[in-house]
């Protein structure tokens, strides 16, 4: 999604679109790496306004992804819904200007040049940040039995897992130096 700066007058501009994931190379590479599948296009909206010496863009991106639980390996679907604000300041050619310190940490500062701003890099980045590094189908997912391999969320088994791979007793002797 792009905004032409010529269209940006005194009033805020509201842009909405549904865009295919195929238009976002960074998201396509997540699919190629089998990190997730996208079940829906990206639903994107931006409210863009000129403000003092910068352009403020309040964005929202929503989609649905299919992930694999890192504990029980089951597939599950998750909604992605991310809201964010980007301040675009005109690039002056001096690299110092790109590092604008902002008090509120959920604000993103970027620079632009030319006659349009392309929001695609921000949209990709926000979606990627919403996809967990270690996905869990639910917070208290029980995972797989390390003996017989059943999914402990669905099935109980009679395995004695207390003598499994982890020997918690061995940790008792460790003192943490401070
Ligand atoms: Zn799970
Ligand atoms: Zn078992």
């Amino acid at each position: 999604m792009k905004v032409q700066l010529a269209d940006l007058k005194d009033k805020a501009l509201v842009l909405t679109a549904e865009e295919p994931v195929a238009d976002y190379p960074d998201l396509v590479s997540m699919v190629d790496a089998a990190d997730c599948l996208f079940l829906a296009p990206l639903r994107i909206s931006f409210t863009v306004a000129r403000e003092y010496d910068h352009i403020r863009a309040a964005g929202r991106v929503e989609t649905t992804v299919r992930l694999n639980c890192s504990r029980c390996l089951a597939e599950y679907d998750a909604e992605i819904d991310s809201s964010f604000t980007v301040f675009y300041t005109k690039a002056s050619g001096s690299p110092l200007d790109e590092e604008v310190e902002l008090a509120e940490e959920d604000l993103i500062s970027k620079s632009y040049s030319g006659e349009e701003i392309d929001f695609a890099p921000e949209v990709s980045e926000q979606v990627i940040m919403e996809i967990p590094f270690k996905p869990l189908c639910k917070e208290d997912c029980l995972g797989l039995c390390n003996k017989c391999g059943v999914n402990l969320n669905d099935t109980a088994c009679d395995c004695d897992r207390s003598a499994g791979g982890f020997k918690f007793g061995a940790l008792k002797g460790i003192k943490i130096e401070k």
Side-chain angles (χ1 to χ4, degrees):
M1 178 181 277
K2 289 176 183 172
V3 64
Q4 303 299 323
L5 297 180
D7 295 341
L8 212 51
K9 302 276 160 48
D10 298 340
K11 264 175 37 183
L13 207 63
V14 180
L15 308 165
T16 56
E18 214 174 70
E19 296 187 334
V21 170
D23 288 356
Y24 289 79
D26 289 348
L27 301 182
V28 171
S29 18
M30 289 200 81
V31 175
D32 291 344
D35 290 332
C36 67
L37 278 178
F38 288 90
L39 304 181
L42 306 180
R43 296 184 299 280
I44 305 168
S45 64
F46 270 93
T47 303
V48 195
R50 285 189 191 275
E51 243 181 25
Y52 312 109
D53 59 340
H54 59 260
I55 290 165
R56 172 199 277 263
R60 181 172 181 189
V61 53
E62 296 166 90
T63 187
T64 310
V65 289
R66 177 159 293 168
L67 300 168
N68 279 307
C69 177
S70 58
R71 259 184 223 162
C72 72
L73 312 179
E75 282 188 340
Y76 70 101
D77 299 344
E79 296 297 321
I80 300 255
D81 183 350
S82 174
S83 296
F84 51 97
T85 301
V86 194
F87 282 166
Y88 291 93
T89 39
K90 200 169 179 79
S92 65
S94 143
L96 277 176
D97 278 27
E98 309 216 355
E99 288 180 34
V100 180
E101 293 257 340
L102 292 170
E104 293 166 71
E105 59 181 36
D106 56 339
L107 295 178
I108 305 157
S109 173
K110 293 279 152 139
S111 61
Y112 70 91
S113 54
E115 290 313 306
E116 63 177 23
I117 294 178
D118 184 2
F119 298 121
E122 296 313 315
V123 169
S124 284
E125 207 170 291
Q126 293 297 319
V127 171
I128 290 169
M129 282 193 323
E130 290 286 314
I131 294 175
F133 182 61
K134 284 197 167 186
L136 284 180
C137 62
K138 53 187 178 191
E139 216 149 289
D140 56 351
C141 170
L142 299 171
L144 303 177
C145 171
N146 58 15
K147 293 279 170 66
C148 72
V150 299
N151 184 340
L152 296 169
N153 298 306
D154 317 323
T155 321
C157 64
D158 296 325
C159 303
D160 176 9
R161 289 186 298 276
S162 60
F166 299 104
K167 288 190 177 159
F168 292 108
L171 294 174
K172 281 183 187 157
I174 296 174
K175 280 186 189 158
I176 296 165
E177 308 267 338
K178 284 198 175 172

